[in-house]
Amino acid sequence: MTTPRRLLAAGFAASLAAFLPAAASAQGNLTVYCSVQEEWCRPMVQAFERATGVRVAMTRKSSGETMTQIRAEAANPRGDIWWGGTGDPHMQAAEENLTAEYRSPRMSELHDWATRQAQQAQFRTIGIYAGALGYSYSAPELARRRIAAPTCWVDLAKPEFRGEIQVADPNTSGTAYTMLATLIQVLGEEPAFTYLRALHRNVNQYTRSGAAPARAAATGETLVGITFLHDAVAQKVTGAPVEIVAPCEGTGYEIGSMSIIRGARNMENARRFYDWALSPEAQGLAGPANAYQLPSNRNAPIPPQAPRFENIRLIDYDFARWGSAAERTRVITRWEREVRAGAR
């Protein structure tokens, strides 16, 4: 039976084929490293193949894992383009000269936050979507345990949440690194690490993937999952009994990014994918793929369930500072020493 979601996805694919009607049967190859959920990676790759005739090989890993892979392959790049994942590691890759400068002719169509990302990285990356950080909790479990609903970051450090929280590992997850950088900017560094040590006592698992805690909260595996809000929305729209929280103190956000890998073997097709991925048609594939980020193209459709920035208390997140290799290494090293190991 064909579902409405599949029909909608098919409609977007058809519009993409019309968008690039001159697709040939064989237009070369492309290797994409994808750092969003598999359910979004696949339709993106398939639609690009249909529209262009380019044969695409796709690997899905978290943003932290992809950054590690690109660095390891720097002398002999195997990937051509890195699509998705938090902007901080993309910025770090740009700083380390692992990605190539490219100025898409579609830049004029994008929101300011997307083009600022490109300018800060000397046009070695660009914003493709945005999403705010927060958490979700299992409403039935919270009621059963008679725990007051959390509304702020500080609530998650309370004793009643002992062993009830999941969050990703910042070594592998851009989501978790965004949380570290956010808390430092919201609270100040010393108070943030005091908070993180208290939060550690309540964490039952540090996951590899940033979206995994949202799934765990949705299934009742954990009471609270710290994630980007759109990952929690993806669970709620399927019927999961979760409530979603944008913390009262304020929160950071990601600019999901895209970068061409320096020394790419299929540079022409990498640029072709880059331009295509910035189009309203390509970005319109997000909603049917159950992805609820805000698209960077001003003309792209916004899923009605997407958390809107105007309804969230956002901080002025310093992407240039927290995207630097030195800060990322320093903060994660301190977290490993003082929180994960030191708080035992």
Side-chain angles (χ1 to χ4, degrees):
M1 181 177 179
T2 302
T3 65
R5 187 175 295 281
R6 287 179 180 172
L7 287 171
L8 187 54
F12 274 115
S15 71
L16 285 166
F19 175 67
L20 289 173
S25 59
Q27 290 292 320
N29 302 303
L30 182 70
T31 298
V32 175
Y33 291 164
C34 186
S35 293
V36 299
Q37 63 268 38
E38 184 85 14
E39 296 82 0
W40 192 8
C41 297
R42 289 293 171 193
M44 281 290 292
V45 164
Q46 291 164 358
F48 181 72
E49 286 182 324
R50 292 190 193 102
T52 64
V54 174
R55 294 184 297 271
V56 180
M58 188 272 290
T59 299
R60 193 274 158 198
K61 290 184 179 179
S62 70
S63 52
E65 291 172 313
T66 301
M67 174 63 189
T68 298
Q69 181 175 354
I70 291 173
R71 184 187 287 122
E73 296 173 350
N76 185 25
R78 297 182 180 180
D80 298 311
I81 193 160
W82 179 12
W83 183 78
T86 53
D88 295 320
H90 282 267
M91 294 287 286
Q92 184 180 353
E95 181 186 354
E96 296 182 21
N97 199 28
L98 297 173
T99 49
E101 179 180 339
Y102 180 59
R103 304 188 188 212
S104 172
R106 287 196 172 274
M107 285 186 61
S108 62
E109 302 174 25
L110 307 183
H111 287 288
D112 290 344
W113 49 261
T115 54
R116 278 198 304 271
Q117 180 88 330
Q119 291 162 359
Q120 289 175 341
Q122 297 181 332
F123 301 95
R124 293 176 183 268
T125 194
I126 198 163
I128 51 174
Y129 60 79
L133 185 71
Y135 56 86
S136 59
Y137 62 84
S138 170
E141 281 298 301
L142 199 78
R144 184 179 70 81
R145 302 182 197 195
R146 297 182 180 179
I147 299 174
T151 59
C152 305
W153 287 116
V154 68
D155 293 333
L156 300 187
K158 293 178 178 178
E160 52 262 46
F161 291 103
R162 182 66 56 87
E164 298 291 354
I165 296 173
Q166 280 191 21
V167 64
D169 185 332
N171 288 287
T172 60
S173 165
T175 304
Y177 176 71
T178 301
M179 184 190 74
L180 298 186
T182 290
L183 289 169
I184 292 171
Q185 292 171 88
V186 169
L187 303 174
E189 184 155 339
E190 296 310 317
F193 272 89
T194 299
Y195 171 82
L196 287 164
R197 287 189 288 269
L199 180 68
H200 176 77
R201 293 193 290 269
N202 293 350
V203 172
N204 60 57
Q205 183 181 353
Y206 291 104
T207 62
R208 293 185 67 83
S209 163
R215 293 191 291 270
T219 60
E221 177 187 333
T222 192
L223 184 57
V224 178
I226 300 174
T227 59
F228 287 114
L229 298 181
H230 49 258
D231 290 325
V233 170
Q235 301 300 319
K236 191 175 180 70
V237 298
T238 64
V242 295
E243 295 299 326
I244 300 170
V245 178
C248 70
E249 301 96 334
T251 194
Y253 62 104
E254 69 165 332
I255 296 178
S257 300
M258 172 173 58
S259 307
I260 295 174
I261 297 169
R262 186 169 180 266
R265 298 175 184 178
N266 301 293
M267 183 61 74
E268 182 179 348
N269 282 335
R271 290 171 177 163
R272 195 174 183 186
F273 183 93
Y274 195 104
D275 293 339
W276 174 85
L278 293 176
S279 71
E281 294 82 4
Q283 294 191 2
L285 290 169
N290 207 26
Y292 300 105
Q293 291 92 327
L294 298 174
S296 65
N297 191 302
R298 292 191 300 271
N299 300 312
I302 299 174
Q305 305 92 334
R308 302 300 184 102
F309 279 2
E310 56 265 31
N311 300 325
I312 299 167
R313 185 177 180 184
L314 292 176
I315 64 171
D316 185 14
Y317 193 101
D318 189 342
F319 290 97
R321 176 183 175 184
W322 299 105
S324 74
E327 281 294 83
R328 184 182 180 89
T329 300
R330 183 186 69 82
V331 168
I332 293 177
T333 300
R334 183 175 181 184
W335 178 83
E336 282 282 358
R337 182 179 66 249
E338 298 184 16
V339 178
R340 188 163 194 164
R344 288 173 185 168

